[in-house]
Amino acid sequence: MSQEMENHYREILSALGENPEREGLQDTPARAAKAMQFLTHGYQQSLDDIVNGAVFSSDTDEMVIVKDIELYSMCEHHMLPFIGKCHIGYLPRGKVLGLSKFARIVDMYARRLQIQEELTRQIANAVQDATDARGVGVIVEARHMCMMMRGVEKQNSSMKTSVMLGDFRDNLPSRQEFLTLVYN
């Protein structure tokens, strides 16, 4: 754990008017530093490490979809969480990706300071890079604490972003099939 980060959290507590030495806060700087390191551990990961060779030859050329992958990320503007789910579809071209790798790819990018739009694009590009698919579609649906806890304080708002690559972008029937399978 970073002693420097722990010291900064202690300074933040003091700047808020708190006493970092009071009983309930004595260990908070260390816990907060440890939590932040966990919440941003995606910076220490790479696509090659995540995929770890789990790309397999396959004659499958029909659409593959993984739905409702939970995601937890942090808004880079306010460092507040956004929480949601990700849906990924791809059209294999001779290679398929191990199922758990989709969740690991989502987590790798979500565990960085992010905006949802960029997160969606990073996931789509990673799946494309890992599989060389004919097409990739990614939809992220999330609720942002920066909208809910501060600012406009809108409790029921959510955001949906999508990125379509290859046949999902260029072929309307493929795009429609993906959207129908995700939302039905």
Side-chain angles (χ1 to χ4, degrees), residues 27-156:
D27 295 329
T28 297
R31 285 192 302 264
K34 186 175 181 181
M36 185 58 73
Q37 287 176 322
F38 176 78
L39 294 172
T40 60
H41 72 264
Y43 290 116
Q44 280 71 53
Q45 298 176 308
S46 73
L47 183 59
D48 288 339
D49 292 339
I50 293 296
V51 171
N52 194 26
V55 179
F56 307 102
S57 296
S58 175
D59 292 335
T60 300
D61 64 355
E62 296 294 326
M63 191 174 300
V64 176
I65 295 177
V66 183
K67 287 177 47 170
D68 298 325
I69 301 168
E70 297 172 11
L71 69 86
Y72 307 91
S73 194
M74 301 241 320
C75 156
E76 68 184 32
H77 299 137
H78 303 100
M79 293 180 62
L80 290 172
F82 63 94
I83 299 165
K85 57 188 174 180
C86 179
H87 315 292
I88 302 171
Y90 73 112
L91 292 165
R93 183 186 354 233
K95 294 189 275 185
V96 293
L97 185 61
L99 180 59
S100 70
K101 302 309 178 182
F102 293 97
R104 293 183 191 284
I105 287 169
V106 170
D107 284 347
M108 178 179 70
Y109 291 109
R111 295 302 187 166
R112 300 175 182 189
L113 299 179
Q114 258 321 347
I115 61 172
Q116 183 175 327
E117 297 90 337
E118 187 61 22
L119 173 62
T120 309
R121 178 157 305 285
Q122 289 170 339
I123 294 166
N125 288 336
V127 171
Q128 177 64 47
D129 290 347
T131 64
D132 189 34
R134 294 187 336 257
V136 174
V138 175
I139 298 170
V140 172
E141 306 174 48
R143 295 172 55 100
H144 292 248
M145 296 303 123
C146 58
M147 281 271 298
M148 297 169 69
M149 294 177 66
R150 56 158 304 282
V152 295
E153 298 184 57
K154 298 301 176 207
Q155 303 307 304
N156 297 310

